Amino acid sequence: MYKVKVFVTLKESVIDPEGAAATKELKKSDFPEVENVRVGKYIELTIDKTENVEKAVHDMCQNLLVNTEVEDYRFEIEEAAAK
Amino acid sequence: MYKVKVFVTLKESVIDPEGAAATKELKKSDFPEVENVRVGKYIELTIDKTENVEKAVHDMCQNLLVNTEVEDYRFEIEEAAAK
């Protein structure tokens, strides 16, 4: 059993309206020192698989979880105790 | 200058329709070994501040970035080179 943490971020060149709104709101509130905010996704998966976990996660990201036109991703795989 | 990575996750007790849809879709596709998917947010902030960064990030999360009724958060602070 593995726990996988996937971090999905918008590519640098892609406009992030949600991040821009958060930056503006934070600056207006008590946090003028905030320079930039980018909002992405954080996906936690549990997988009951023992072989080729890394390849499987790449495939899942590319086929379903990530829009690779506009998003980048990276992930970490941790062994998890079976339930 | 600091770079802060904030991980926002739905509380365990909260239903995650987006994660459930992803689980179902992955199982139906080539990945029957996927047990569970939870979808949260991954927020990157850059802050031009030198003191009390940790407290400031907690305040930002609690006041604006996180819905603490249904979401948990944790964060990592890294020193970043000034631009």
Side-chain angles (χ1 to χ4, degrees):
Chain A
M1 189 82 99
Y2 290 92
K3 184 170 174 179
V4 183
K5 298 174 180 177
V6 185
F7 308 91
V8 183
T9 48
L10 283 167
K11 286 182 199 279
E12 291 257 352
S13 57
V14 175
I15 289 169
D16 175 5
E18 194 177 351
T23 309
K24 198 171 153 191
E25 229 20 76
L26 287 167
K27 276 182 183 289
K28 257 201 339 205
S29 310
D30 281 338
F31 312 103
E33 60 279 308
V34 171
E35 299 269 309
N36 192 32
V37 182
R38 302 279 287 179
V39 180
K41 280 193 284 188
Y42 171 62
I43 304 171
E44 285 180 349
L45 300 162
T46 46
I47 310 181
D48 190 10
K49 186 176 169 73
T50 48
E51 283 177 354
N52 298 323
V53 176
E54 199 169 323
K55 178 171 182 322
V57 177
H58 273 299
D59 287 350
M60 287 181 214
C61 286
Q62 279 163 23
N63 296 335
L64 209 130
L65 299 173
V66 179
N67 179 351
T68 53
E69 289 283 315
V70 292
E71 292 171 330
D72 291 321
Y73 68 93
R74 63 186 177 81
F75 58 82
E76 293 166 7
I77 298 173
E78 289 171 12
E79 255 183 276
K83 270 180 279 192
Chain B
M1 188 82 98
Y2 290 91
K3 184 171 175 178
V4 183
K5 297 174 180 180
V6 185
F7 309 90
V8 183
T9 48
L10 282 168
K11 287 183 199 278
E12 290 257 352
S13 57
V14 176
I15 290 169
D16 175 6
E18 195 177 349
T23 309
K24 199 171 151 190
E25 230 18 76
L26 287 167
K27 277 183 183 289
K28 258 201 336 206
S29 309
D30 281 338
F31 312 103
E33 61 279 307
V34 171
E35 298 270 308
N36 192 31
V37 182
R38 303 279 286 178
V39 181
K41 280 192 286 189
Y42 171 62
I43 304 171
E44 285 180 349
L45 300 162
T46 45
I47 311 182
D48 190 9
K49 186 177 169 70
T50 49
E51 282 177 356
N52 298 324
V53 175
E54 198 169 322
K55 179 172 182 323
V57 176
H58 272 299
D59 288 349
M60 287 181 215
C61 285
Q62 279 162 25
N63 297 335
L64 209 131
L65 299 174
V66 180
N67 179 351
T68 53
E69 289 282 316
V70 292
E71 293 170 332
D72 290 323
Y73 69 93
R74 64 186 176 80
F75 58 82
E76 293 166 7
I77 298 173
E78 289 171 12
E79 255 183 277
K83 270 181 278 192

